[in-house]
């Protein structure tokens, strides 16, 4: 079957499959708690004697049932409640980076973690288990990774500031920045300015979610929180002036097609990915990731596949998403240059032979 494209030559389904499976990927918006396979949650629940209300691995992640972000986040709370000790943290990090990362040609990931989502696990224990999983995943598959600590916007600004102080007090080289997650309606961004200012002072990089909020929230993220990139940010296209500013400043937006389609933030829940199309057409710097992959029935390859089919993107545009993620990453310059070279080589290797001239 051939699909019509908006951005290049016509691409067949077989070609899309070859491209999306072979494409090198750089993952900047994947939550550790959201990337745990249901079977692992069931096993950890049994280990800790947690009641999953009769759920099995088959029924736990019923993504079609999430009516809004809040419903999804309450399932995420259940997942967080079973990830408790160093072995659990090692396991979920390792599985997320190997089967859920390297197996999809993810070369590098900035893992978004949510310390408040783990209940009472002390921050240093959390980091110890996670970094052990990162090291073993790198040894076994080559995937490189860092950590982004999410402040919970459903907590108070004081709790967010306290978490930043904890991150600074227990600073490790793997932890390179902070984010802001959970429900935007319950925590408008401006109130987290003191926590972000403290992070900036300590040299931490900054991003934040804006998935349901108005385009003005994106201005707050840039001007009040000092974010160098935005998680989601679909509503930017509702304001032509803010869009123009973001195009001009090359602000990266890390979009997650499948989860945001189910949540209806990027479109209408019909697979049209309307806002992502508008963002690309407006010339915004867009990168792709998969947010909470098994919880939304997706994986890093499938998010690219979904966009390729819905919007007719071929290798040029899909490769650009990866290269945009390289630019938006928070790696040191030399590491970033090495990642860019590798990604470029692997993207070029996916180009088929030049078509023979027609005679
Ligand atoms: N935590 C995990 N996934 C999230 C999302 N899509 N929005 C906000 N917080 C999240
Ligand atoms: Zn997210």
């Amino acid at each position: 079957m051939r699909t019509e494209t908006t951005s290049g030559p016509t691409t067949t389904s077989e070609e899309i499959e070859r491209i999306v499976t072979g494409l090198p990927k750089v993952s900047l918006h994947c939550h550790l708690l959201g990337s745990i396979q249901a079977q692992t949650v069931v096993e950890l629940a049994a280990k800790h004697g947690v009641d999953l209300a009769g759920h099995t691995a088959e029924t736990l992640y019923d993504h079609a049932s999430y009516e809004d972000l809040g419903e999804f986040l309450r399932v995420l709370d259940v997942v967080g409640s079973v990830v408790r000790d160093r072995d659990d943290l090692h396991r979920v990090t390792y599985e997320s980076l190997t089967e859920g990362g390297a197996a999809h040609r993810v070369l590098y990931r900035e893992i978004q973690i949510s310390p408040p989502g783990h209940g009472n696990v002390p921050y240093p224990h959390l980091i110890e288990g996670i970094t052990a999983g990162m090291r073993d995943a790198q040894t076994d598959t080559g995937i490189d990774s860092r950590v982004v600590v999410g402040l919970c916007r459903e907590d108070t600004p004081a709790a967010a500031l306290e978490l930043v102080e904890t991150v600074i007090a227990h600073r490790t080289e793997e932890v390179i920045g902070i984010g802001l997650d959970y429900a935007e309606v319950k925590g408008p961004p401006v109130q987290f300015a003191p926590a972000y200012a403290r992070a900036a002072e300590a040299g931490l990089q900054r991003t934040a979610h804006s998935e349901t909020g108005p385009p003005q929230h994106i201005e707050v993220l840039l001007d009040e929180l000092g974010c160098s990139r935005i998680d989601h940010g679909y509503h930017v296209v509702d304001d032509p002036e803010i869009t123009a500013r973001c195009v001009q400043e090359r602000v990266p937006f890390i979009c997650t097609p499948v989860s945001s389609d189910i949540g209806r933030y990027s479109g209408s829940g019909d697979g049209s990915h309307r806002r992502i199309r508008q963002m690309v057409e407006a010339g915004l710097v867009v990168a792709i990731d998969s947010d909470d992959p098994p919880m939304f029935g997706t994986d890093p390859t499938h998010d690219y596949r979904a966009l390729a089919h819905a919007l007719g993107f071929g290798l040029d545009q899909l490769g650009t998403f990866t290269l945009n993620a390289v630019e938006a990453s928070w790696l040191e310059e030399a590491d970033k240059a090495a990642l860019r070279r590798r990604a470029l080589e692997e993207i070029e290797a996916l180009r088929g032979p030049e078509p023979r001239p027609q005679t």
Side-chain angles (χ1 to χ4, degrees), residues 31-69:
H31 299 268
L32 180 62
L33 280 179
S35 65
I36 306 174
Q37 292 297 331
Q39 182 58 35
T40 301
V41 176
V42 168
E43 289 173 21
L44 293 181
K47 170 179 164 182
H48 295 298
V50 173
D51 178 7
L52 290 180
H55 278 298
T56 63
E58 285 68 42
T59 63
L60 186 63
Y61 295 156
D62 182 10
H63 39 86
S65 78
Y66 307 144
E67 285 290 326
D68 60 19
L69 182 63

Side-chain angles (χ1 to χ4, degrees), residues 28-31 69 72 112 180-182 209 211 231-232 254 256 259-260 290-292 296:
L28 304 183
H29 186 167
C30 181
H31 299 268
L69 182 63
F72 155 75
Q112 299 221 10
L180 186 62
D181 53 10
Y182 290 84
H209 280 57
E211 58 195 328
D231 290 309
H232 304 295
I254 319 301
T256 63
S259 74
S260 300
S290 46
D291 213 3
D292 307 285
F296 284 100

Side-chain angles (χ1 to χ4, degrees), residues 5-251:
T5 69
T6 55
S7 71
T10 307
T11 311
T12 63
S13 294
E14 297 74 31
E15 279 164 357
I16 288 175
E17 213 42 41
R18 186 182 68 81
I19 292 167
V20 299
T21 52
L23 197 75
K25 300 172 185 77
V26 168
S27 161
L28 304 183
H29 186 167
C30 181
H31 299 268
L32 180 62
L33 280 179
S35 65
I36 306 174
Q37 292 297 331
Q39 182 58 35
T40 301
V41 176
V42 168
E43 289 173 21
L44 293 181
K47 170 179 164 182
H48 295 298
V50 173
D51 178 7
L52 290 180
H55 278 298
T56 63
E58 285 68 42
T59 63
L60 186 63
Y61 295 156
D62 182 10
H63 39 86
S65 78
Y66 307 144
E67 285 290 326
D68 60 19
L69 182 63
E71 278 192 23
F72 155 75
L73 290 170
R74 299 301 70 92
V75 182
L76 197 67
D77 290 341
V78 175
V79 176
S81 74
V82 305
V83 184
R84 297 188 178 182
D85 61 32
R86 186 187 181 283
D87 285 351
D88 303 344
L89 288 153
H90 177 283
R91 176 177 176 180
V92 299
T93 306
Y94 183 86
E95 290 179 359
S96 167
L97 287 173
T98 54
E99 295 151 42
H104 292 273
R105 305 205 58 74
V106 175
L107 306 180
Y108 172 68
R109 170 170 289 159
E110 291 177 3
I111 310 167
Q112 299 221 10
I113 70 164
S114 307
H118 293 264
N120 297 325
V121 182
Y123 178 80
H125 292 195
L126 206 59
I127 293 299
E128 198 193 308
I130 291 169
T131 48
M134 289 162 64
R135 273 195 299 277
D136 286 346
Q138 184 163 30
T139 303
D140 292 351
T141 67
I143 186 171
D144 194 9
S145 58
R146 302 287 186 279
V147 174
V148 179
V149 176
L151 314 181
C152 177
R153 65 197 320 159
E154 296 183 24
D155 288 345
T156 62
L161 179 58
E162 199 181 314
L163 178 53
V164 172
E165 293 294 359
T166 304
V167 172
I168 295 168
H170 299 276
R171 194 76 187 262
T172 66
E173 61 183 5
E174 290 86 0
V175 177
I176 54 173
I178 61 162
L180 186 62
D181 53 10
Y182 290 84
E184 199 172 357
V185 284
K186 295 190 184 169
V190 70
Q191 62 191 14
F192 299 97
Y196 271 68
R198 181 72 184 103
E201 196 180 79
L204 288 162
Q205 302 278 357
R206 282 143 289 145
T207 183
H209 280 57
S210 183
E211 58 195 328
T212 55
Q216 289 69 28
H217 278 190
I218 289 161
E219 286 190 306
V220 173
L221 301 195
L222 298 174
D223 298 333
E224 312 287 334
L225 305 193
C227 292
S228 64
R229 65 185 195 223
I230 311 287
D231 290 309
H232 304 295
Y234 310 111
H235 292 267
V236 69
V237 291
D238 299 344
D239 186 307
E241 275 178 31
I242 300 175
T243 299
R245 172 189 172 181
C246 291
V247 170
Q248 217 242 327
E249 295 179 13
R250 291 192 58 75
V251 175

